[in-house]
Amino acid sequence: MLTGNDSLVTEFVLAGLTDLQELQLPLFHLFLMIYIVTILGNFGLLTLIGLNSHLHTPMYYFLFNLSFIDLCYSSVFSPKMLMNFVSKRNAISYVGCMTQLFFFLFFVISECYMLTSMAYDRYVAICNPLLYRVTMSQQVCSALSLAAYVMGFVGATAHTGCMLRLTFCNASVINHYLCDILPLLQLSCTSTYVNEVVVLVVVGINITVPSFTILTSYIFILTSILHIKSTHGRSKAFSTCSSHIIAISLFFGSAAFMYLKYSSGSMDQGKIFSVFYTNVVPMLNPLIYSLRNKDVKVALREVMTKIKKRDKL
């Protein structure tokens, strides 16, 4: 596990979600089901949006990207997490850990900004409906989605680059089921001051900018909805935003709880909250957007009808 000078760790051991042996197999089956539903749900939504031309609108363009992020995001750590439930030694190489950290952060930060782009899209659709097609042109949508991925790349590079400069000595057990920033910083035998500053700056930006944009968008949206005179118009506007509000609340709410627990020193409780943030949210997103969306339901019925017709031929 150690290099020739017995000072530098070349692999880590993931402590996992729990060390209780009797829970390992039940948890394996539970998280396997969650992962399967996540893959099927997000891949199904990607396929549905891709095959139906009437879903080729800005709203569904961002939803397509969100599903793609969730699909990749859950695949970064879920296979390793599942292996850890059934293997005796939950080891991950140093390179593997840093790679997992990079892609985990890349997709998490990208999702923050993709949800922000979706909030801006709903703002334009409700507050400036006559200018919607002009404002949310293909070029604008592409630029917003590209910006989300660029912010994800910059944030992940900053965190991972700073992590690579640290030295990890004999302590090699990560108190988590994945390689995350705070559990890794606890293992460093060199100063983590620079890393802590980077965490403060990067996390601060990636929370403040999306939160402020989303909050501002929904203040304007709520104001516009309250000015709609007809009850039908109001309910239609609310239903348009409800799925996105639920998705935002789940993502930011669970992430906030997780990092609050970590900052208070409660690593075990932090791991429990992180399950919701890392595993449950990517599974629920496609269900939220499909079950509460009439366009998606209609598109799904059309696909099912076409499949039935082919089977009869």
Side-chain angles (χ1 to χ4, degrees):
M1 187 171 70
L2 304 174
T3 57
N5 62 8
D6 290 338
S7 63
L8 303 178
V9 170
T10 58
E11 70 174 22
F12 297 101
V13 175
L14 294 165
L17 194 59
T18 178
D19 55 1
L20 297 174
Q21 288 301 314
E22 62 271 21
L23 291 178
Q24 300 302 314
L25 201 57
L27 286 173
F28 170 79
H29 289 113
L30 173 64
F31 284 99
L32 178 62
M33 287 302 299
I34 289 173
Y35 185 52
I36 290 170
V37 173
T38 302
I39 295 297
L40 292 177
N42 285 290
F43 185 75
L45 203 52
L46 285 171
T47 307
L48 199 63
I49 294 169
L51 292 177
N52 286 270
S53 57
H54 70 274
L55 293 181
H56 294 174
T57 62
M59 177 182 170
Y60 294 103
Y61 172 78
F62 292 121
L63 183 54
F64 182 93
N65 278 277
L66 184 69
S67 291
F68 171 73
I69 290 169
D70 281 337
L71 187 67
C72 298
Y73 168 42
S74 59
S75 298
V76 167
F77 58 86
S78 291
K80 182 64 180 172
M81 183 184 185
L82 291 169
M83 286 174 61
N84 290 347
F85 283 126
V86 292
S87 61
K88 291 182 179 179
R89 190 166 177 273
N90 306 331
I92 183 170
S93 68
Y94 176 83
V95 174
C97 186
M98 293 301 117
T99 304
Q100 187 187 68
L101 175 68
F102 176 83
F103 283 105
F104 172 68
L105 293 171
F106 171 69
F107 289 117
V108 167
I109 297 169
S110 297
E111 180 150 346
C112 285
Y113 287 97
M114 200 60 68
L115 288 168
T116 306
S117 298
M118 293 173 79
Y120 177 70
D121 171 70
R122 291 300 83 208
Y123 157 72
V124 177
I126 292 171
C127 298
N128 297 293
L130 298 176
L131 297 174
Y132 181 67
R133 290 186 178 276
V134 177
T135 307
M136 299 305 295
S137 63
Q138 189 176 352
Q139 291 81 5
V140 172
C141 292
S142 299
L144 286 171
S145 59
L146 179 62
Y149 292 118
V150 168
M151 290 301 291
F153 179 79
V154 171
T157 302
H159 284 303
T160 310
C162 287
M163 197 65 69
L164 289 169
R165 58 177 285 279
L166 297 180
T167 301
F168 298 95
C169 301
N170 294 331
S172 62
V173 179
I174 300 171
N175 189 16
H176 211 310
Y177 54 83
L178 57 84
C179 294
D180 201 0
I181 299 168
L182 298 180
L184 279 168
L185 290 180
Q186 292 184 333
L187 301 182
S188 175
C189 55
T190 52
S191 174
T192 59
Y193 175 75
V194 174
N195 296 69
E196 288 167 10
V197 171
V198 170
V199 168
L200 188 66
V201 173
V202 176
V203 173
I205 292 170
N206 293 329
I207 288 175
T208 305
V209 174
S211 299
F212 178 76
T213 307
I214 290 167
L215 186 62
T216 304
S217 296
Y218 274 100
I219 288 172
F220 282 113
I221 287 169
L222 185 61
T223 305
S224 294
I225 289 173
L226 293 174
H227 280 90
I228 298 172
K229 293 181 180 180
S230 68
T231 309
H232 174 71
R234 250 189 245 140
S235 62
K236 187 179 179 181
F238 272 121
S239 64
T240 305
C241 301
S242 59
S243 298
H244 187 241
I245 292 169
I246 293 169
I248 288 170
S249 302
L250 287 171
F251 183 79
F252 285 99
S254 55
F257 270 110
M258 181 184 75
Y259 282 104
L260 282 171
K261 288 296 178 183
Y262 278 149
S263 61
S264 66
S266 180
M267 292 298 292
D268 290 332
Q269 287 186 20
K271 282 194 291 185
I272 294 168
F273 277 108
S274 69
V275 167
F276 196 80
Y277 169 59
T278 58
N279 298 78
V280 179
V281 170
M283 177 189 72
L284 290 179
N285 276 344
L287 298 175
I288 291 166
Y289 282 103
S290 58
L291 294 175
R292 296 183 62 85
N293 194 297
K294 289 181 180 179
D295 291 335
V296 173
K297 288 179 183 178
V298 170
L300 186 60
R301 284 195 206 102
E302 288 178 1
V303 170
M304 295 303 291
T305 304
K306 288 178 182 177
I307 292 170
K308 286 179 182 177
K309 285 180 180 178
R310 285 178 186 174
D311 290 340
K312 288 179 181 179
L313 293 175

